[in-house]
Amino acid sequence: QLTGWYTERSPMWPGQAFSLQVEESILQKKTKFQKLEIFQSTHYGKVMVLDGAIQFSEKDESSYQEMITFLPLNSHPNPRRVLIIGGGDGGVARETMKHPLVEKVVQCEIDAEVIEACKKYVPSMGCGFDNPKLTLLTGDGSEFLEKTEDKFDVIITDASDPVVAADEGGSETKDGPAVSLFNEDYYTRMKEKLAPGGILCCQGENMWLHASLICRLLKKCKSIFPVVDYAYTCTPTYPSGQIGFILCSKNPETNFKDPITVWGEADADDLPLKYYNADIHRASFVMPSFMRKALKQI
Ligand code: AAT
């Protein structure tokens, strides 16, 4: 049972630890793939943790789910068929359904227990699964891509981090289920399943902590896609308070920095969105100098 403060420690972010105050422990279990914890926090709503890494808090999840969804969807002229890999909490499915052009969504999440737990304990996220446009499958996202014969206009990879901390007290690290989604082959597989003009967007880790992983993946992307870009959003409950997105397009004309679909620029207050708007879409590609330098070297 969790009590007091939940502290997020991992060898992926050594020497730092973010804490949230726990009001009530809701669920703690080992699934077939990972350790799953959900708790009610005092000030951030419900929080889900997988293998010791915070996956979302209800307070700030919009800054991640809306950005990972609308950066690619609003950069595509006609995003009718969408594939979501991961995203077992339902947040990205929930956001995808808000786009008026989306007709069909397929989602492949590795861990059915994450889906069930979010439906039961976090309806604000799990509600994403209640839509007839969605076909929900369980399995490894990379294997699914290899097998499927469908083509998609947009592929969103809402993945957990590739390496996870060992259990409490241990000093070793082990590979998490998302390892298969952070290698070069995965990007080649996605390209094959994108329709002409298709776009992908993947969880792209943190520039303060993982610049070399980010640059390695971007370099691979540049060798297979004509247009590649990197954006980031500010999410207080993710490591170092921000998280990036890797964006690739098969269409050489795509300019990710300038959204094609622009909603209510004059009065963004009326949109059913908490974080995303066209200005923050454009701003999310502006890099600090150290990252601009690292990206230039790719
Ligand atoms: N929506 C924000 C939360 C996530 S969830 C990431 C999801 O990816 C989890 O549900 C996990 O079970 C799923 N997943 C992991 N590996 C695979 C795989 N190989 N195939 C399919 N799904 C997978 C992202 C949080 C980001 C955390 C940043 N520190």
Side-chain angles (χ1 to χ4, degrees), residues 8 13 34 48 50 53-56 64-65 85-89 92 108-111 114 125 139-142 158-161 177-178 180-181 203 205 238-239 243:
E8 186 193 44
W13 35 93
Q34 50 208 343
M48 182 173 87
L50 291 177
I54 294 172
Q55 304 293 299
F56 69 78
Y64 175 82
Q65 330 289 347
I85 301 291
D89 50 46
V92 174
C108 179
E109 155 66 44
I110 204 164
D111 196 337
V114 173
M125 304 288 285
D140 174 74
S142 188
D158 177 20
S160 36
D161 307 304
S180 62
L181 310 180
Q203 193 266 85
E205 297 297 342
Y238 281 160
I243 193 159

Side-chain angles (χ1 to χ4, degrees), residues 39-78:
F39 64 90
Q40 175 69 46
S41 67
T42 56
H43 292 75
Y44 277 75
K46 292 192 185 98
V47 177
M48 182 173 87
V49 182
L50 291 177
D51 279 337
I54 294 172
Q55 304 293 299
F56 69 78
S57 90
E58 286 186 297
K59 183 183 170 85
D60 64 0
E61 51 88 8
S62 59
S63 67
Y64 175 82
Q65 330 289 347
E66 292 180 14
M67 292 295 276
I68 198 172
T69 305
F70 298 118
L71 288 176
L73 289 183
N74 287 356
S75 300
H76 193 293
N78 193 14

Side-chain angles (χ1 to χ4, degrees), residues 189-210:
R189 285 183 188 182
M190 281 193 286
K191 188 183 182 190
E192 283 164 12
K193 301 302 147 104
L194 280 173
I199 282 177
L200 66 82
C201 181
C202 297
Q203 193 266 85
E205 297 297 342
N206 178 282
M207 66 175 84
W208 297 95
L209 300 165
H210 308 119

Side-chain angles (χ1 to χ4, degrees), residues 88-155:
D89 50 46
V92 174
R94 183 194 67 202
E95 293 308 318
T96 302
M97 300 306 175
K98 290 181 185 169
H99 198 294
L101 295 174
V102 169
E103 288 171 5
K104 180 185 157 182
V105 183
V106 177
Q107 178 167 358
C108 179
E109 155 66 44
I110 204 164
D111 196 337
E113 291 190 70
V114 173
I115 297 170
E116 290 315 312
C118 289
K119 278 193 195 166
K120 187 164 173 195
Y121 299 111
V122 198
S124 65
M125 304 288 285
C127 65
F129 298 120
D130 306 330
N131 193 304
K133 289 181 189 169
L134 179 72
T135 305
L136 184 57
L137 310 164
T138 47
D140 174 74
S142 188
E143 283 173 20
F144 169 79
L145 272 178
E146 204 182 4
K147 281 183 287 183
T148 183
E149 284 171 10
D150 288 348
K151 297 267 179 177
F152 300 93
D153 301 306
V154 174
I155 300 178

